[in-house]
Amino acid sequence: MTTKKPINLLRGWPNPALLPTPAILRAAQSALSDPSISTPGLLYGPDPGFQPLREEIAKWLGEFYTGEADANRICITGGASQNLACVLQVYTDPLKTKVWMVAPCYFLACRIFEDAGLKMRAVEEGSGGIDLVALERGLENSRRENGESKTLKRSTPWSKIYSNIIYCVPTFSNPSGKTMTLSTREALVKLARKYDALIITDDVYDFLQFPTSSTTLTSSLSKALLPRLVDLDRTLEPIPSEGSFGNAMSNGSFSKIAGPGVRTGWSESTPKFTYGLSQCGSSRSGGAPSQLAATMMAELLKNGDLQAHIEKVLNPAYKKRYEIMIEGIQKHLVPLGVKVGEVSFEGKAVFGGYFIWLELPQNMSAEVVAERARQDESLIVAPGHIFEVSNDPSVQFKNSLRLCFAWEEESDLEESILRLARVMKNIGGGAGSRSTEIEVDKQAVKQDLGEFQ
């Protein structure tokens, strides 16, 4: 084993230097020093969440996505992961609902689906962000095979059981970085309506966008460049009725822009869907999640500190980090046969999020490269196989790697690529014939992700 400084490009966390700690301190002091805020903040919250935060989020999202602000469409959550579990509790049934996940997928979501008793099926990204032909073929086959399925859960007036769930990260995807095209988004909404599907989108990276060319004006990135699927579901003809549950839900979170420890997020969908989600048993029993943190997030949005942090700190920092890493990849890895995944936005010189996706030469195993990098270089990278949909081997990524440029120190990013290049050269040159016989340490991978004992 090497004694080099460990560098972890697997962990998808924000670097501590990028956390808005002073702004959160001011927001906390403001919230806790005002009894009209602190008292409800320390008590059980209303089912859909702290109302001032619902209103601030609606206004903020309306400005960014250029849409109508409607707090009745917002439900405060304990973050995107917790909310996904709540959505599945209210709107799915293990005897009826089928899950379709874009692959490569955000793999930690797989366990949430499994905990809900749901079986997942993989659908390749394709060129547009999801292979619509394969998806519709699967949806149609499933409908023919299952017919009118029975349900395990009792019916309630505030919910419905969807026949299908389609899960994706459509903008700056984790892990691939790909952004779903507008035409694909529109077609996906139409498919969801046709097959009684709920599209669940993790829209957690949307605000993290930056130019990758000097000809792209930063000012043009103050708003979203594409509508979310939930926006299209609201506006695409035929427009759903006012009392509809809808066919799309946007899962939002403060984790990537304020800090994952905040454990606060939001969902957006139709008012009827939002109300049903708020009636999830855990919210009815314990009140809205993250009630106290919600008061602070409301202050952070109201005073503009979060918006300023995204614009003046996060996006410039991630732009610089991306540039360092992509320059190293082009210089040291591309000559070794590595191909870079999508790093543009509908053909525009814009990228975002946390991750760069790489394709290794066909004769080189990503799992072997990752383990050799760990052993020989103290470098942690994410092999593609961990982004495969659980229990569906139909879509595999044996030659893929995901690199995160958000967590490690900026000064270590170029060094990380140099180390990865050395590993690839050693494997390609036959150094260490043990390369194909390495046993992967599964527990170490969990620790690298940030799981603590």
Side-chain angles (χ1 to χ4, degrees), residues 128-173:
I130 185 170
D131 185 336
L132 293 167
V133 173
L135 175 62
E136 182 164 22
R137 183 168 58 246
L139 290 167
E140 183 61 38
N141 289 341
S142 178
R143 182 163 67 178
R144 284 201 305 267
E145 292 169 3
N146 294 291
E148 291 297 321
S149 301
K150 294 181 180 180
T151 59
L152 186 67
K153 299 178 180 178
R154 67 182 178 89
S155 62
T156 64
W158 60 81
S159 68
K160 67 164 286 183
I161 300 299
Y162 287 89
S163 300
N164 298 282
I165 297 290
I166 302 169
Y167 174 81
C168 56
V169 187
T171 303
F172 309 129
S173 174

Side-chain angles (χ1 to χ4, degrees), residues 42-304:
L42 289 166
L43 294 174
Y44 293 110
D47 299 340
F50 186 58
Q51 185 62 24
L53 180 56
R54 296 177 74 199
E55 294 172 0
E56 289 296 333
I57 287 175
K59 182 170 64 175
W60 175 48
L61 298 182
E63 293 171 354
F64 184 70
Y65 294 107
T66 318
E68 178 185 349
D70 184 355
N72 290 322
R73 293 174 57 86
I74 304 296
C75 187
I76 304 306
T77 73
S81 297
Q82 182 264 1
N83 184 52
L84 176 58
C86 289
V87 170
L88 300 183
Q89 289 173 41
V90 176
Y91 289 109
T92 70
D93 187 287
L95 297 183
K96 178 179 180 179
T97 309
K98 304 297 185 295
V99 177
W100 310 85
M101 295 185 75
V102 174
C105 71
Y106 170 56
F107 67 102
L108 291 176
C110 291
R111 188 179 296 180
I112 302 174
F113 287 107
E114 289 171 339
D115 287 349
L118 301 171
K119 182 179 179 181
M120 295 156 285
R121 303 178 187 185
V123 183
E124 288 192 75
E125 275 187 330
S127 59
I130 185 170
D131 185 336
L132 293 167
V133 173
L135 175 62
E136 182 164 22
R137 183 168 58 246
L139 290 167
E140 183 61 38
N141 289 341
S142 178
R143 182 163 67 178
R144 284 201 305 267
E145 292 169 3
N146 294 291
E148 291 297 321
S149 301
K150 294 181 180 180
T151 59
L152 186 67
K153 299 178 180 178
R154 67 182 178 89
S155 62
T156 64
W158 60 81
S159 68
K160 67 164 286 183
I161 300 299
Y162 287 89
S163 300
N164 298 282
I165 297 290
I166 302 169
Y167 174 81
C168 56
V169 187
T171 303
F172 309 129
S173 174
N174 177 8
S176 72
K178 183 183 284 290
T179 291
M180 188 179 292
T181 64
L182 178 58
S183 60
T184 300
R185 293 175 189 226
E186 292 173 340
L188 184 57
V189 168
K190 293 176 182 177
L191 269 187
R193 292 174 177 178
K194 179 178 178 181
Y195 289 98
D196 185 35
L198 172 67
I199 306 168
I200 298 177
T201 60
D202 269 354
D203 295 322
V204 298
Y205 300 102
D206 290 29
F207 291 92
L208 303 179
Q209 54 183 12
F210 43 82
T212 57
S213 167
S214 58
T215 60
T216 302
L217 297 177
T218 304
S219 58
S220 68
L221 302 180
S222 61
K223 296 185 182 298
L225 299 183
L226 286 176
R228 295 167 298 172
L229 282 105
V230 74
D231 299 321
L232 292 170
D233 190 39
R234 177 168 55 170
T235 59
L236 198 63
E237 295 287 350
I239 295 174
S241 64
E242 190 172 325
S244 168
F245 282 100
N247 292 92
M249 186 216 71
S250 174
N251 213 358
S253 176
F254 291 106
S255 292
K256 308 303 182 188
I257 50 181
V262 170
R263 290 293 85 211
T264 308
W266 66 91
S267 73
E268 181 176 352
S269 190
T270 68
K272 188 171 184 178
F273 184 101
T274 298
Y275 174 76
L277 179 58
S278 77
Q279 299 306 292
C280 178
S282 58
S283 295
R284 290 291 294 129
S285 173
S290 303
Q291 176 72 354
L292 180 59
T295 66
M296 303 171 192
M297 292 300 101
E299 294 297 301
L300 204 63
L301 282 172
K302 185 170 68 174
N303 62 29

